[in-house]
């Protein structure tokens, strides 16, 4: 079982101590990932896994999610914040009308009408930002200090509401703020460098074989939703080793600059894992998540041996192999950090179909300030919300063009 984000992220640098100018430099790729998985045996009434599907691409699976209550799902923000935007970041939030959901299934190919739901609201965490933001202090052209303003895939959390109540499926148990701290301590105490513990697990319908960057780089950079690989029809799971956050920070610290993935050894917004064993075969590969598993859960047992969700599949550093590296950690959004926000958000029906993260809300506000009433691309009326769909007409057109490109590639 394999899912890797393989999301292309721009590195933005603020030049100078007092300068607010952001200069776009080389791209830094991030990659989340499940291989070496076993089929999940679970009754429908206990199955809290959901499959997110792109309804304009043959209902193809693109990300995982978990059922929170009768109408709400938890997933990763990068699953719904994708390319095709017209602002400075080039990103937009996928309209809920483009997303369908299936729940209660182990075999995704067996979906029936009763298993399919339409998304009606998408809520992205306000502080989500996929851009790596660095502030470099300089003196006479000499770099003095680099400060991480925003590390890769910070606050990678989103919620999706559907059009009707889920029918007879399970609901995930989230780690509360206090339980998350307790489980952090428990998992850290179990860490053993020589004998890695299999103390967490991931589930998903992602691809099941390691992927070559050269084969899939272009597709992954275009749009993480338009992944052309063959995902698993069967829900799979695999066990992993929880990797203490301070050690994960040290492992990533060798990246230049340090801290672009995990910003400190005491980070409380992310969790990390490593494969706990090597898979059979000549390659140095271990079980892991891969393309299509993003947004799915990282689970562990509490003190009563009940499985609870402690993380959301998010990302990892690029390299070969893309999935199943024995030495490069995968990181996850830490559920306990967002527990209160999640519960507050799902307690109400949003006013708008799309709740933007702050960086996209700012881009939208800036664009509206610069619009006018002429017959042009900057016409204010053209950029108004499209009948509550949450997108813009121009944005939706670009999205359709991107999907046409995907379908052409798929056909060829």
């Amino acid at each position: 079982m394999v899912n890797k984000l393989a999301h292309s992220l721009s590195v933005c640098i603020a030049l100078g101590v007092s300068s607010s100018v952001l200069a776009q430099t080389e791209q830094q790729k991030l990659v989340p990932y499940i291989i070496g998985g076993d089929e999940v045996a679970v009754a429908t009434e206990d199955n809290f896994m959901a499959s997110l599907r792109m309804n304009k691409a043959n209902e193809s699976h693109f990300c995982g999610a978990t059922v929170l209550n009768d109408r709400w799902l938890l997933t990763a923000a990068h699953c719904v914040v994708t390319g095709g935007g017209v602002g400075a970041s080039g990103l937009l939030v996928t309209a809920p009308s483009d997303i369908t959901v299936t729940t209660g299934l182990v075999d995704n190919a067996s979906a029936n009408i009763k298993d399919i739901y339409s998304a009606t609201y998408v809520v992205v965490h306000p502080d989500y930002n996929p851009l790596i933001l660095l502030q470099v202090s300089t003196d006479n052209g000499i770099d003095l200090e680099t400060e991480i303003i925003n590390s890769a895939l910070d606050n990678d959390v989103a919620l999706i509401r559907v059009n009707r109540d889920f029918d007879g499926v399970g609901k995930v148990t989230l780690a509360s703020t206090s339980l998350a701290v307790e489980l952090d301590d428990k998992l850290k105490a179990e860490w053993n460098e020589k004998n890695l513990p299999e103390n967490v697990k991931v589930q998903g319908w992602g691809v099941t074989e390691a992927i070559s960057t050269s084969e899939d780089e272009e597709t992954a950079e275009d749009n993480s939703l338009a992944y052309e690989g063959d995902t698993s029809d069967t829900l799979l799971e695999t066990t992993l080793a929880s990797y203490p956050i301070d050690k994960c920070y040290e492992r990533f610290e060798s990246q230049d600059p340090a801290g672009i993935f995990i910003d400190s050894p005491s980070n409380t917004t992310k969790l990390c894992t490593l494969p706990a064993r090597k898979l059979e075969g000549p390659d140095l590969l271990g079980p892991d998540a891969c393309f299509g598993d993003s947004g799915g859960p990282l689970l562990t047992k509490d003190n009563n041996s009940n499985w609870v969700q402690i993380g959301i599949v998010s990302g990892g550093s690029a390299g070969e192999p893309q999935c199943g590296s024995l030495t490069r950690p995968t990181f996850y959004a830490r559920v306990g950090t967002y527990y209160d926000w999640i519960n507050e958000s799902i307690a109400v029906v949003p006013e708008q179909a799309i709740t933007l993260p702050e960086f996209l809300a700012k881009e939208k506000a800036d664009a509206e300030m610069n619009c006018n009433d002429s017959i042009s691309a900057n016409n204010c009326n053209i950029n108004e919300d499209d009948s509550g769909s949450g997108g813009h007409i121009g944005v939706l057109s670009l999205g359709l063009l991107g999907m046409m490109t995907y379908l052409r590639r798929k056909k060829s």
Side-chain angles (χ1 to χ4, degrees), residues 64-66 68 72-76 157-160 174 295 309 312 335 342:
T66 49
L68 297 175
W72 284 97
L73 301 168
L74 177 65
T75 190
V157 184
L159 299 164
I160 295 175
L174 300 182
Q309 182 175 355
I312 304 166
V335 166
I342 291 169

Side-chain angles (χ1 to χ4, degrees), residues 147-353:
E147 180 183 358
I148 305 293
I149 304 300
N150 194 89
S151 58
L153 293 179
D154 268 354
N155 311 300
D156 192 8
V157 184
L159 299 164
I160 295 175
R161 195 175 196 268
V162 298
N163 61 322
R164 58 189 172 87
D165 287 358
F166 295 119
D167 183 16
V169 300
K171 297 176 179 63
V172 74
T173 300
L174 300 182
S176 66
T177 304
S178 57
L179 179 59
V181 173
E182 180 181 324
L183 293 175
D184 286 346
D185 293 340
K186 173 178 176 289
L187 293 171
K188 185 173 183 178
E190 292 172 357
W191 174 254
N192 185 318
E193 291 275 3
K194 295 181 180 179
N195 186 19
L196 273 60
E198 297 185 54
N199 52 6
V200 294
K201 71 177 180 180
V202 285
Q203 295 183 339
W205 291 274
V207 299
T208 57
E209 296 180 0
I211 302 168
S212 168
T213 303
S214 59
E215 293 175 358
D216 289 278
E217 182 175 64
E218 184 179 1
T219 300
E221 287 182 355
D222 282 347
N223 190 329
S224 64
L225 303 188
Y227 176 65
E228 295 188 37
D230 293 326
T231 54
S232 173
D233 283 337
T234 304
L235 180 63
L236 301 176
E237 67 180 13
T238 193
T239 54
L240 303 167
S242 174
Y243 193 39
I245 197 67
D246 56 338
K247 294 184 180 297
C248 190
Y249 170 76
E250 292 172 5
R251 181 64 59 88
F252 280 136
E253 194 176 15
S254 60
Q255 301 284 338
D256 186 18
I260 60 175
F261 298 113
I262 308 293
D263 62 2
S264 80
S266 57
N267 181 285
T268 58
T269 65
K270 292 175 181 172
L271 301 171
C272 295
T273 65
L274 282 173
R277 55 191 168 85
K278 178 185 174 297
L279 296 175
E280 293 183 7
D283 298 322
L284 291 175
L285 294 173
D288 209 347
C290 202
F291 288 109
D293 296 320
S294 286
L298 179 69
L299 303 152
T300 195
K301 286 185 177 181
D302 63 15
N303 290 329
N304 295 317
S305 296
N306 298 313
W307 287 101
V308 296
Q309 182 175 355
I310 58 173
I312 304 166
V313 179
S314 183
S317 63
E320 295 288 352
Q322 285 193 305
C323 307
S325 169
L326 295 176
T327 58
R328 295 195 317 277
T330 299
F331 60 78
Y332 308 75
R334 181 177 177 272
V335 166
T337 303
Y338 307 99
Y339 183 78
D340 290 340
W341 175 82
I342 291 169
N343 283 288
E344 290 168 4
S345 298
I346 65 176
V348 296
V349 177
E351 295 181 1
Q352 301 292 330

Side-chain angles (χ1 to χ4, degrees), residues 42 44 47 49-51 53 102-112 114-116 169 205 233-235:
V42 61
T44 300
N47 188 355
M49 284 295 298
S51 169
R53 299 169 180 250
T102 55
T103 60
L105 301 177
V106 171
D107 181 2
N108 246 354
S110 67
N112 208 327
K114 70 177 181 63
D115 306 311
I116 301 174
V169 300
W205 291 274
D233 283 337
T234 304
L235 180 63

Side-chain angles (χ1 to χ4, degrees), residues 66-87:
T66 49
V67 177
L68 297 175
N69 61 20
D70 288 342
R71 292 282 187 100
W72 284 97
L73 301 168
L74 177 65
T75 190
H78 78 258
C79 287
V80 294
V81 180
T82 65
V86 296

